[in-house]
Amino acid sequence: MRITRACRANPSLSSSLDVKLQKALLDGIQRFFNSAPAAAIKRGRAYHAGGNVTELECIEPNHLYSAVVQGGEDYEVGLEFTESGWAGECSCPLSFDCKHIVAAMLALRDRAQSNGASQSVKSPGQKGQKVKATPDPRPSSPLEAKLVEHLGRKLLPNEAGYLHQVQAFYSNAKFRRVSEPELLQLADRSLSYGSYGWKELELWPDFPRDEFLCWLYVAWELRRRNIPLLAFMEGITDFSAIEKEMGDWARRKEIAHWKDWFRDFDEKAPVSDPGLLELRLVVAPGEARLQWRTAPAAQFAELKQTQAKKLAEQVDQGALAIAPDSLPLWSATYKPWHYESWWSFKYSNATARPALNRLLRMPLSPDRVVAADGQPLARAAEPLRLELRPPNNGEGNYELELTGKDGSAPPPIFCILSGRPTLYLTERCLFHGPPADALDTALRKAIPSAALETTDGLRFLHATGVLLPEHLQQRIRTEPVNVTIKCQLKTTYPGSTSEEVAISVTAKAPGMAKEKFTPQGWQDESNFESPKKVEPENGGIVLHDRAAQRHFPRVLEPLGLKWEGYPGDWKLRLTKKTPELLVPWLKSLPPEIELLLDKELATLRDEPVSGSVSLDLAEAGIDWFDLKVVLNAGDTTLTPEELKLLLNARGGYVRLGKKGWRRLQFNLTPEEDEQLARLGLNSADFTAEPQRFHALQLADEAAKKFLGPDRVEKIQLRASELKTRVSPPLPLSIRAEMRPYQTEGFHFLAYLTSNHFGGVLADDMGLGKTLQTLAWLAWIRETVRAQATAPRTSLVVCPKSVMDNWQTEAGRFYPDLRVRLWRGEPAGELTHACEAADLIVINYAQLRSLWPPIASMPWFATILDEAQYIKNPDSQTSQAARALNAEHRLALTGTPIENRLLDLWSIFGFAMPEVLGNRAHFLRRFDAKDDPLARRRLAARVRPFLLRRTKGQVAKDLPDRIEEDLLCEMEGEQQTLYRAELKRARQMLLGLKSVQ
């Protein structure tokens, strides 16, 4: 037999075949499992637990066994135990390392364990003996006995398999500590529990005497981890047997933990407040160094290695803070894992210069960078420059010298730092000047005229910005380098349906090799012929102006391109959004760059398709209309299908086959835009699909421009009929005389209900929103609810401070209404409360605590008083309000809702969820800061569902003794707010009388 698992067994096995042999067999089996593949172990356990091992035969005791395992068919498994360990072979296609071998090995282990240590020789069976690999029907352990007794039957195969797992867990625990993965093997397999590492567990104070007690400890730990037990094991799991013992053990461990903690605690002296570290950079001959101090009155000191390490540790531990103006110096220099010093910058050290270069380019305060005497390092306003002096005779030397603006020699230079601009560091001043490599290290050079008066020599002078003598300037002719960007559409690979934009960037000029822009910068194209040299005219020299090349790579960065070395192009994947990316990029290209587009891409630069707008109407129910856009396009070559695509793109680009990309733009005057806004329309939202509008939304005079006068007159007539059609008399159950504006509000609410709308009553505080709402509630209870098969209760959600006011107002104006104030009862009381009350009043905090159960209750009407409490759509209060289940919804608010648009969206999300669309669409359409008509469109959209009156608008309806009606027995802060409103109303009334 081939061996697949060679695990070392106990080498001291003797021929006496005693208890030691059984232990060796079991240890060998366990080591077999430890080295078997995890997938095979997992599937093999499932096979074993399901009773798939139907036969187990001993061929040679304690050496050779065979088994039959049911899978897709019956598979024969051979198991062999030698001095090298256990091995298995199977007749399945895998032959080795399979689940069938694992299942057979588990059955063999169970049989060996169940026979007892005294029968270790015969434990797996006598030679030639076949045994069924199913649990012995007679209870063989206290755990099995309790299970059989509790269930009143034999164990099912899966139950027996789980029992064997617990027994194996107990057996393994005798010899070693058990681990977390082994414990989780006993959890419910239908659930998933993560385990990290091979963490050993302490499950009991003393090793359990039997398997049942072991199970109780295991179940205790599973419960502690909130892992549910298998249902058939719960009945025998009585923790009372170990509860006191485990409690005492936990207490002993807690005491031991604190004793160890107290023993390890090191009493320390009180820690002072963190100091403040100040740094400055000192420029000295040979090097620049950091200096430090931690007390404002102290002198700055040199930062040395020992002190630098100590300061770094204090900063890391929070014992030392860094002064704000010193933080840039610390951030730019401190390197905790650097082997070299980070506080000293020798000018000759190539690794130190980059850090010094960063520091000197920072916008630090003057006292942070100083000279050796502590005075601030000056920064010169005028740069250093190169001055060229011609030779005294034609064949002498030119002199090239670094000078100041006035031609004087600069101070001794400590260090030259490359960059833009190049920095020149001196003892007391920091200059900027020509490129660092212009003079190497010498500040004055003599250059033979025969070398300088050449093409390369003059190019050098031109690049360094030297002012040339007139006789040299006349010999130079400048040729611009022309840069070309070429864009082509290509398939991603041959036969692919996906496409990409291939972009190549080249530069060329007379007398210059053609160059291509790559990730490494501008490079000569090796496959091009050598450039034709431009012959000098009268000894002239051609120089190349590379200004156009300096735009790269910045010009390409907005596109996020990827480079492909072959064929050497930049690539942009073509998607639906590519035109929106390419078009603004094309417009942003500098004019000196030539752009070549293939035929299809060139259409992105074409003018948009112009179109005029008219509207068509179709009735879509009582008082509702479907509004459809009729498009008249200026391009007569477009088919109806193409026009529909353009319209649905809402001004975006559409690819129309060989016609390339086109987009639609409506020819609307500012006056027409404003007229559309008065209808709640925006040309950017036009599509081929109709939009549904209410008659009140289309009754504006602005509709005549797009619908025609006759249609608009019919719509206006229908809109005026709405108020007449839905103008019910005040219900007899309401004991109040309503003012005209209150009656109008009641009729508005009745209109909402008649059209199955929710809505918002947004009258100013003190105008009687509660009375109008009670009248509406009485009307729908007497009319609409009379049609229902069973009465239902309404719900008011309001601030805690006005709960009593609802009960008082209802008792005063609607005494037949049974009102119950919620006093914080459990959610389970809602059903009983609904049976005994017509109106339940809760506050917003109670709404949160009752959610989600309250959302499952069917409410007749739900009213949010002071609805601004749900202005934050992400709050739990707002989510709970939107989840309420009601036939009729009404939001009341006295707070102006024009201040913050999202407040309005959130309130309508409760009252009329679909009218303003989703949140992102709403903010994009109506919160556009650059669209002056957005608010007007929003007003038109919400017009049929919102009624708002101010005190100024209804002042003529207010009596002189307005206080008595508005206060309505209110007390405290609410009464104070109402009195303030009354004072303003009284002043307003006086003003109106004076005008009259």
Side-chain angles (χ1 to χ4, degrees):
M1 177 180 288
R2 289 176 289 176
I3 305 300
T4 59
R5 294 284 161 220
C7 301
R8 286 292 177 185
N10 189 344
S12 63
L13 284 174
S14 66
S15 59
S16 61
L17 302 175
D18 56 6
V19 176
K20 293 182 179 180
L21 178 58
Q22 186 197 24
K23 184 177 184 301
L25 289 170
L26 292 174
D27 286 350
I29 291 174
Q30 184 58 44
R31 283 192 290 274
F32 175 88
F33 289 143
N34 290 343
S35 58
I41 289 288
K42 181 178 180 181
R43 295 171 183 169
R45 288 185 186 276
Y47 264 45
H48 173 254
N52 290 49
V53 184
T54 58
E55 292 185 9
L56 180 63
E57 181 179 359
C58 175
I59 306 301
E60 184 178 337
N62 306 306
H63 174 59
L64 194 61
Y65 306 90
S66 68
V68 176
V69 183
Q70 288 182 342
E73 57 184 83
D74 287 349
Y75 295 107
E76 295 182 0
V77 176
L79 304 174
E80 183 179 18
F81 181 69
T82 67
E83 292 184 359
S84 300
W86 280 102
E89 186 173 6
C90 182
S91 62
C92 74
L94 289 179
S95 299
F96 309 104
D97 293 343
C98 67
K99 55 193 174 187
H100 311 109
I101 295 175
V102 172
M105 191 68 78
L106 287 168
L108 179 63
R109 183 191 67 178
D110 293 349
R111 180 56 57 189
Q113 290 174 339
S114 63
N115 284 342
S118 63
Q119 302 178 22
S120 61
V121 177
K122 302 177 182 179
S123 60
Q126 300 291 343
K127 182 176 181 179
Q129 178 185 9
K130 291 185 178 181
V131 294
K132 290 291 183 178
T134 55
D136 193 328
R138 297 171 300 170
S140 58
S141 71
L143 179 59
E144 185 175 1
K146 286 184 178 293
L147 273 174
V148 172
E149 180 183 359
H150 169 69
L151 297 173
R153 56 171 172 77
K154 295 180 180 180
L155 300 182
L156 300 177
N158 64 319
E159 295 170 344
Y162 187 79
L163 173 64
H164 292 165
Q165 284 185 264
V166 177
Q167 291 172 333
F169 183 89
Y170 180 59
S171 298
N172 293 336
K174 292 179 180 178
F175 306 109
R176 58 176 174 79
R177 289 277 188 92
V178 294
S179 64
E180 187 175 58
E182 289 177 293
L183 174 72
L184 296 181
Q185 288 292 326
L186 300 179
D188 188 346
R189 295 299 181 84
S190 64
L191 304 175
S192 176
Y193 301 99
S195 175
Y196 303 94
W198 201 258
K199 181 181 178 182
E200 291 185 347
L201 300 177
E202 290 186 353
L203 300 178
W204 39 68
D206 297 304
F207 188 78
R209 61 180 177 273
D210 56 41
E211 294 166 352
F212 173 67
L213 197 57
C214 173
W215 163 250
L216 291 181
Y217 290 130
V218 168
W220 182 282
E221 180 64 18
L222 292 175
R223 183 187 67 171
R224 189 186 70 81
R225 294 168 176 255
N226 295 321
I227 298 176
L229 307 180
L230 294 179
F232 76 94
M233 297 293 290
E234 289 182 349
I236 65 166
T237 307
D238 182 6
F239 292 122
S240 62
I242 64 170
E243 192 163 10
K244 185 177 185 308
E245 178 188 11
M246 295 300 283
D248 294 342
W249 185 41
R251 183 62 176 171
R252 293 196 301 271
K253 290 195 294 184
E254 183 181 17
I255 292 172
H257 162 74
W258 282 107
K259 285 183 176 179
D260 292 340
W261 192 88
F262 292 140
R263 188 182 306 113
D264 295 338
F265 182 78
D266 182 18
E267 184 177 3
K268 299 178 181 178
V271 179
S272 61
D273 293 335
L276 192 65
L277 175 64
E278 291 185 81
L279 297 173
R280 71 180 185 182
L281 182 68
V282 179
V283 175
E287 66 176 359
R289 295 184 62 88
L290 288 181
Q291 290 184 343
W292 69 281
R293 69 181 179 188
T294 54
Q299 296 293 323
F300 277 97
E302 295 291 330
L303 186 57
K304 299 182 180 179
Q305 183 173 0
T306 304
Q307 189 61 41
K309 182 178 179 181
K310 182 179 179 181
L311 292 175
E313 291 174 352
Q314 290 177 329
V315 169
D316 291 342
Q317 295 168 2
L320 188 64
I322 302 174
D325 56 355
S326 298
L327 189 58
L329 288 169
W330 178 273
S331 301
T333 57
Y334 176 56
K335 298 179 180 63
W337 307 113
H338 208 272
Y339 291 106
E340 298 180 6
S341 63
W342 50 266
W343 55 88
S344 174
F345 313 95
K346 294 186 180 300
Y347 306 140
S348 59
N349 189 332
T351 59
R353 281 199 300 272
L356 180 62
N357 200 353
R358 290 195 303 272
L359 289 175
L360 292 176
R361 294 179 188 275
M362 287 182 176
L364 300 170
S365 59
D367 61 339
R368 293 302 100 185
V369 182
V370 299
D373 59 0
Q375 295 300 313
L377 186 73
R379 293 179 179 262
E382 297 294 336
L384 299 177
R385 61 187 181 88
L386 289 174
E387 183 175 329
L388 184 67
R389 298 188 182 92
N392 294 326
N393 53 66
E395 297 181 357
N397 292 335
Y398 284 87
E399 285 190 356
L400 187 63
E401 184 179 6
L402 186 70
T403 68
K405 180 183 179 181
D406 57 358
S408 61
I413 294 174
F414 292 164
C415 184
I416 301 177
L417 301 170
S418 299
R420 296 183 181 180
T422 302
L423 298 181
Y424 290 78
L425 181 62
T426 70
E427 181 180 14
R428 308 197 64 85
C429 188
L430 183 67
F431 295 88
H432 61 275
D437 55 357
L439 290 174
D440 295 332
T441 57
L443 302 184
R444 183 174 183 177
K445 286 190 175 182
I447 305 175
S449 58
L452 189 61
E453 294 180 359
T454 62
T455 301
D456 292 335
L458 292 180
R459 282 176 181 167
F460 163 77
L461 295 177
H462 180 74
T464 55
V466 175
L467 182 62
L468 299 180
E470 185 177 353
H471 72 281
L472 293 180
Q473 186 67 43
Q474 293 175 351
R475 296 179 55 188
I476 294 176
R477 180 165 60 88
T478 302
E479 290 284 350
V481 176
N482 299 314
V483 175
T484 302
I485 298 179
K486 185 177 181 181
C487 303
Q488 294 176 292
L489 275 180
K490 295 181 179 180
T491 56
T492 306
Y493 54 86
S496 172
T497 57
S498 61
E499 295 177 288
E500 58 190 9
V501 181
I503 299 176
S504 63
V505 184
T506 56
K508 61 181 179 179
M512 183 188 93
K514 189 175 183 180
E515 296 177 352
K516 174 175 281 192
F517 186 74
T518 72
Q520 289 74 40
W522 290 99
Q523 295 183 343
D524 291 349
E525 286 194 329
S526 57
N527 56 341
F528 280 83
E529 296 179 359
S530 299
K532 295 181 179 179
K533 292 186 177 181
V534 179
E535 295 296 331
E537 300 177 1
N538 301 323
I541 296 174
V542 176
L543 300 181
H544 293 109
D545 181 2
R546 295 179 174 268
Q549 290 179 285
R550 296 193 181 99
H551 294 294
F552 295 85
R554 287 190 300 274
V555 161
L556 301 180
E557 287 172 354
L559 297 181
L561 302 174
K562 293 184 178 180
W563 172 258
E564 283 194 8
Y566 180 81
D569 290 333
W570 299 91
K571 296 297 177 66
L572 174 66
R573 184 184 174 190
L574 185 66
T575 67
K576 290 183 178 180
K577 295 184 178 180
T578 300
E580 280 71 21
L581 179 66
L582 276 176
V583 170
W585 176 75
L586 295 174
K587 294 179 179 179
S588 68
L589 290 177
E592 60 268 26
I593 295 178
E594 182 184 13
L595 179 65
L596 300 179
L597 302 175
D598 67 12
K599 186 175 180 181
E600 277 195 75
L601 290 174
T603 59
L604 293 173
R605 307 182 79 173
D606 293 345
E607 293 296 323
V609 176
S610 62
S612 60
V613 178
S614 61
L615 301 175
D616 193 15
L617 277 183
E619 293 204 23
I622 300 176
D623 305 326
W624 285 97
F625 298 90
D626 280 342
L627 193 67
K628 189 175 182 181
V629 177
V630 179
L631 173 64
N632 299 311
D635 189 344
T636 57
T637 64
L638 297 173
T639 66
E641 292 76 14
E642 290 172 337
L643 289 174
K644 184 177 180 180
L645 289 174
L646 288 170
L647 190 58
N648 286 337
R650 299 182 180 182
Y653 284 89
V654 180
R655 193 176 184 184
L656 302 177
K658 295 182 179 179
K659 295 179 182 178
W661 279 273
R662 308 298 298 274
R663 68 182 182 92
L664 179 64
Q665 186 178 68
F666 291 104
N667 294 326
L668 293 172
T669 64
E671 180 184 358
E672 289 171 332
D673 269 335
E674 184 178 357
Q675 290 172 330
L676 285 174
R678 288 165 58 182
L679 300 177
L681 291 171
N682 186 353
S683 61
D685 295 327
F686 286 163
T687 68
E689 300 300 322
Q691 299 184 55
R692 186 153 295 182
F693 282 79
H694 194 267
L696 292 177
Q697 293 172 308
L698 299 175
D700 194 281
E701 290 291 323
K704 292 182 178 179
K705 169 68 177 179
F706 305 99
L707 294 174
D710 294 341
R711 283 190 173 183
V712 174
E713 287 178 7
K714 291 180 180 179
I715 293 172
Q716 289 175 340
L717 179 61
R718 184 172 299 186
S720 63
E721 290 174 351
L722 285 175
K723 296 181 180 180
T724 306
R725 187 169 68 232
V726 190
S727 302
L730 187 68
L732 296 177
S733 55
I734 294 297
R735 310 273 179 88
E737 183 178 346
M738 298 180 70
R739 303 187 185 98
Y741 74 87
Q742 292 173 332
T743 302
E744 180 187 357
F746 161 56
H747 289 165
F748 168 75
L749 300 181
Y751 142 77
L752 292 177
T753 302
S754 299
N755 288 276
H756 306 287
F757 297 157
V760 180
L761 182 59
D763 285 348
D764 269 355
M765 180 187 296
L767 294 185
K769 293 189 292 295
T770 305
L771 173 58
Q772 297 173 66
T773 303
L774 289 171
W776 167 71
L777 197 57
W779 177 73
I780 59 174
R781 283 172 53 80
E782 295 173 10
T783 57
V784 180
R785 205 179 78 169
Q787 307 168 13
T789 57
R792 286 182 290 173
T793 307
S794 297
L795 177 71
V796 167
V797 187
C798 63
K800 184 177 181 180
S801 60
V802 299
M803 289 178 68
D804 292 332
N805 183 59
W806 271 93
Q807 189 173 44
T808 302
E809 292 281 274
R812 180 182 178 188
F813 299 124
Y814 192 3
D816 296 340
L817 189 70
R818 297 175 300 167
V819 180
R820 172 170 175 174
L821 302 186
W822 198 255
R823 298 303 185 188
E825 298 90 331
E829 296 293 325
L830 281 170
T831 302
H832 176 71
C834 289
E835 295 173 355
D838 301 318
L839 182 68
I840 294 178
V841 182
I842 68 174
N843 59 53
Y844 285 98
Q846 291 170 341
L847 173 64
R848 292 193 298 270
S849 65
L850 292 172
W851 183 56
I854 196 172
S856 63
M857 299 287 296
W859 300 101
F860 182 56
T862 298
I863 302 156
L864 297 190
D865 192 6
E866 303 293 344
Q868 64 271 15
Y869 272 69
I870 67 165
K871 65 183 180 180
N872 179 5
D874 298 322
S875 68
Q876 188 180 23
T877 303
S878 182
Q879 295 176 43
R882 292 197 298 269
L884 292 172
N885 177 22
E887 286 191 11
H888 308 286
R889 292 168 174 257
L890 177 62
L892 307 177
T893 175
T895 302
I897 55 179
E898 296 88 352
N899 295 339
R900 183 171 176 264
L901 283 185
L902 198 59
D903 299 359
L904 180 64
W905 181 87
S906 185
I907 293 173
F908 266 90
F910 159 78
M912 197 71 174
E914 298 178 359
V915 73
L916 294 180
N918 63 53
R919 181 174 177 175
H921 179 65
F922 172 80
L923 293 175
R924 186 171 59 252
R925 293 179 63 189
F926 300 118
D927 199 23
K929 302 297 188 295
D930 56 346
D931 186 356
L933 300 177
R935 298 295 177 96
R936 187 168 296 181
R937 295 188 191 99
L938 177 58
R941 289 283 183 173
V942 301
R943 186 186 303 139
F945 319 108
L946 182 146
L947 180 63
R948 169 159 175 75
R949 280 86 57 87
T950 65
K951 289 188 179 71
Q953 293 170 330
V954 300
K956 62 181 181 297
D957 294 333
L958 298 179
D960 293 335
R961 295 181 59 82
I962 191 170
E963 296 91 342
E964 296 179 4
D965 292 327
L966 290 181
L967 291 176
C968 297
E969 303 179 10
M970 289 183 290
E971 299 178 356
E973 181 181 355
Q974 188 178 14
Q975 190 181 76
T976 303
L977 293 174
Y978 268 65
R979 289 190 182 280
E981 291 291 326
L982 294 174
K983 183 178 180 180
R984 285 194 291 271
R986 190 182 298 110
Q987 292 172 347
M988 179 184 63
L989 288 172
L990 292 174
L992 289 174
K993 291 179 180 178
S994 64
V995 172
Q996 294 173 353

